[in-house]
Amino acid sequence: MIARLREMHAPRAWALLAGAALATTLLPFLGLPDHLVPLFGKFLCFGIAALAMDLVWGYAGILSLGHGLFFALGGYGMGMYLMRSIAGEGVYRSNLPDFMVFLDWKELPWYWHGFQSFPFAIAMALAVPGLLALVFGWFAFRSRIRGVYFSIVTQALTYAATLLFFQNATGFGGNNGLTDFKRILGWPLHAPETRRLLYVASAIALVGTYLLCRFVVTSRLGRVLTAVRDAELKTRFCGYESTNYKVFVWTLSAVLCAMAGALYVPQVGIINPSEMQPSNSIEMAIWVAVGGRGTLGGALLGAWLVNGGKSWLTSAFPSASCRSPLSWTTTPMRARGRPPSWRCRSRRRRASRSCSGWRTSPSASTASRRSTT
C-alpha cells in the first residue's frame, strides 16, 4: 500500500497536496465572503469536469466534444430532485412543477417518479450519463471511430440532445429549464451555512476525483491507456484490446463529469439546455489545453484560470461582452474597444475620396478646371 502511494506521488508532494486540499476545503471558514462562496464552489465543479476531460483526452488521446452533455445530465438529475422536494410550494400550489402546470400537464411523467428521494436522484444523475456513455462508446470504439471523427460525432450527439431538451414536450422545462429551487435535504439553499456545506462537498469531491484519476493513470491501466494514445495499432498487436480500455475510461470520465454537474446546480440555482451546448464542451477542452493535457494538476489550473479570468473580465468590463475566451477571437475589433489599425484608416480615407470624386458631377468638375486655367 505504501509503495502504491509512492507511485502516485512522492512524500513531499503528498504533504503539499494535503495542505492544498485542507486550505481549499476550509476556505469559506477562513474569511471568504459569503457572496463568493457559490462562485468558488462553481470553480471547484469546473475543476472536476476538467479532470474528467484530462483523463480521457490527456491520457487516452480521446478528444471529446460532448462532455457538456454529461455535465448537464448530472445537473438535470439533481434539478429534478430539487423540484420534487418543493412539491406543493410553487406558484400554483400544485404537486407538479410550475412549468408543467403552465403547460397544462395533468400528471407527472413516468421518468420523474422516484426523484423525491435524494439517494435515487444521485444514483440516476450518475447512472444515466454513465449508461449513455457506455452504449455510445461501445458502438463508437468498436467501429474504430477515432481522432477528429470521434470529436465530430460527440459534438453532433451533444447538439441533438440540446435540441431535444429545448422542446417543452420532453418534460424538462424547455428553454427555461429547471429553476426556483428552495431546499436540499431540508436545508434552505440561500442560507450561508448551506452554501458553505455545498462548497465543502464540492471540495471533497474534487479531492476524491483527483486521487481517483491519479490512481488510474499511475496504474497498469494508465500505462496501457498511454500506449493506446501514442500507438493504438501497436498496442493491439501486443495483445491489448484497446476498445475495452477506451470504453472504460470514457465511461468513468462521463460519470465524473455528471457528478460535477450534480454539485453545480444547487450552487447556481438553475439548469437549462444551454449548459449542454457544444460550446461548453469546447470550453472544457480549452481548460485542459491551457493548463496542459496529461498533467491533472495542469487541467485544474487551466479551469480555474480561464473561469476566474472570465468572471473578473465580465465584472470589470461588462460592456465588452466577454462571455468566454473564444469571444476575443470572434468579436470584431471595434466591439472589443481596440482602435482600428492604420491600414483600416487608410482604406477608409481612400474609399471616402473615391466616393466624393464619384459623386461630383461632370459639369462641376469642368467648371473647376476652367476656373483654374
Side-chain angles (χ1 to χ4, degrees), residues 261-326:
L263 290 168
Y264 171 84
V265 168
Q267 300 183 76
V268 298
I270 188 173
I271 179 66
N272 54 38
S274 64
E275 296 293 342
M276 64 175 66
Q277 288 182 352
S279 59
N280 290 351
S281 301
I282 297 174
E283 192 170 352
M284 291 181 186
I286 291 175
W287 301 343
V288 179
V290 169
R293 68 189 187 103
T295 57
L296 292 182
L300 277 177
L301 183 62
W304 292 343
L305 284 177
V306 171
N307 288 283
K310 185 169 65 173
S311 298
W312 179 79
L313 289 171
T314 303
S315 58
F317 306 101
S319 60
S321 300
C322 180
R323 296 179 58 189
S324 70
L326 292 176

Side-chain angles (χ1 to χ4, degrees), residues 54-345:
D54 193 25
L55 180 65
V56 74
W57 183 30
Y59 290 92
I62 305 170
L63 176 56
S64 168
L65 298 182
H67 267 48
L69 172 61
F70 305 132
F71 185 89
L73 288 177
Y76 267 99
M78 177 59 71
M80 293 168 72
Y81 161 74
L82 295 174
M83 292 295 292
R84 292 285 288 146
S85 65
I86 58 170
E89 301 179 20
V91 177
Y92 300 100
R93 302 300 178 184
S94 172
N95 290 327
L96 299 177
D98 286 341
F99 71 88
M100 290 187 182
V101 178
F102 179 79
L103 295 174
D104 200 24
W105 288 55
K106 302 302 181 183
E107 59 181 0
L108 198 69
W110 62 269
Y111 46 84
W112 275 76
H113 291 288
F115 278 89
Q116 67 275 8
S117 170
F118 183 77
F120 178 84
I122 292 297
M124 290 295 103
L126 301 180
V128 172
L131 181 61
L132 175 62
L134 177 64
V135 174
F136 176 84
W138 188 81
F139 281 105
F141 298 131
R142 185 172 178 269
S143 303
R144 298 291 186 263
I145 300 176
R146 55 186 177 181
V148 66
Y149 303 103
F150 183 82
S151 303
I152 294 173
V153 172
T154 55
Q155 189 175 28
L157 174 67
T158 304
Y159 187 67
T162 303
L163 296 179
L164 177 64
F165 273 72
F166 266 118
Q167 302 295 322
N168 289 326
T170 57
F172 295 106
N175 60 340
N176 295 322
L178 308 178
T179 186
D180 195 24
F181 308 135
K182 293 181 174 61
R183 292 186 307 274
I184 179 170
L185 294 175
W187 293 73
L189 282 175
H190 298 289
E193 296 80 7
T194 307
R195 293 182 174 181
R196 294 191 189 100
L197 290 176
L198 288 172
Y199 175 92
V200 171
S202 301
I204 294 174
L206 176 62
V207 174
T209 301
Y210 176 82
L211 294 178
L212 176 61
C213 293
R214 191 67 185 173
F215 180 82
V216 170
V217 300
T218 56
S219 64
R220 294 180 181 179
L221 171 63
R223 289 191 286 272
V224 174
L225 290 175
T226 304
V228 170
R229 177 197 65 188
D230 297 336
E232 182 176 358
L233 190 59
K234 293 181 180 179
T235 306
R236 291 178 58 221
F237 284 159
C238 291
Y240 295 96
E241 181 53 52
S242 60
T243 300
N244 299 332
Y245 291 94
K246 293 166 76 173
V247 169
F248 171 78
V249 73
W250 165 258
T251 306
L252 176 61
S253 177
V255 171
L256 294 176
C257 205
M259 180 179 64
L263 290 168
Y264 171 84
V265 168
Q267 300 183 76
V268 298
I270 188 173
I271 179 66
N272 54 38
S274 64
E275 296 293 342
M276 64 175 66
Q277 288 182 352
S279 59
N280 290 351
S281 301
I282 297 174
E283 192 170 352
M284 291 181 186
I286 291 175
W287 301 343
V288 179
V290 169
R293 68 189 187 103
T295 57
L296 292 182
L300 277 177
L301 183 62
W304 292 343
L305 284 177
V306 171
N307 288 283
K310 185 169 65 173
S311 298
W312 179 79
L313 289 171
T314 303
S315 58
F317 306 101
S319 60
S321 300
C322 180
R323 296 179 58 189
S324 70
L326 292 176
S327 64
W328 287 92
T329 60
T330 57
T331 307
M333 192 181 301
R334 292 297 298 274
R336 296 199 298 260
R338 186 183 302 174
S341 63
W342 64 272
R343 293 182 179 179
C344 297
R345 291 195 293 268

Side-chain angles (χ1 to χ4, degrees), residues 4-34:
R4 186 68 184 90
L5 292 177
R6 288 181 177 176
E7 289 181 6
M8 295 173 61
H9 277 302
R12 183 176 299 179
W14 275 114
L16 293 175
L17 178 62
L22 185 61
T24 303
T25 305
L26 298 179
L27 189 60
F29 307 98
L30 300 177
L32 183 67
D34 290 339

